[in-house]
Amino acid sequence: ALAVAPPLVWGGYAFLRDDEFEPYRGRSLWIRVSICSLVYAALWGAYAYLPGLALNLQQLEIFHVLVLVPPLLAVGAFAALYTLDLEFTDGLVHVGFYVLVTAVLALIAGLHLLGTPPPPP
């Protein structure tokens, strides 16, 4: 999650930034991208550990995900809003793009995003 975050955050910013404002460049941009990347990676960590620690769940069901994911997406949107000066809805698109790409990569790698893997056949 942390390895792919900086290029995804930078690419999303380049696509979603407001053209009326001067874009961030250089050191300022990379500091902002780094902060946003750390927040996004921490959100994956929260998604992975929060159900087991705080909710005492062994396996996530779809209704758990429907309750757990929106607050995490909102935190990610606020991270994009405050670090990259995106609008809130653009921040939701930004974090959604990151989540979509990392979720697809996790599924390709064979990870199960809804809890424990099914038993082998």
Side-chain angles (χ1 to χ4, degrees):
L2 190 57
V4 298
L8 291 175
V9 169
W10 179 79
Y13 170 71
F15 182 73
L16 292 170
R17 73 174 184 82
D18 191 354
D19 292 334
E20 294 180 7
F21 297 120
E22 187 70 25
Y24 292 111
R25 299 177 195 269
R27 185 176 183 171
S28 175
L29 174 64
W30 289 111
I31 289 172
R32 291 169 181 275
V33 165
S34 299
I35 292 169
C36 194
S37 298
L38 288 173
V39 171
Y40 284 3
L43 290 175
W44 266 120
Y47 176 79
Y49 292 108
L50 191 62
L53 293 176
L55 302 176
N56 199 21
L57 298 173
Q58 298 302 318
Q59 179 155 350
L60 283 175
E61 300 294 335
I62 194 69
F63 58 88
H64 294 125
V65 173
L66 293 174
V67 172
L68 183 64
V69 169
L72 296 177
L73 290 177
V75 169
F78 277 114
L81 178 112
Y82 289 118
T83 59
L84 302 172
D85 290 336
L86 298 176
E87 297 288 330
F88 184 77
T89 53
D90 288 340
L92 279 174
V93 171
H94 193 261
V95 72
F97 172 68
Y98 170 76
V99 168
L100 180 68
V101 170
T102 53
V104 167
L105 289 174
L107 292 173
I108 290 171
L111 298 176
H112 297 278
L113 299 177
L114 289 177
T116 58

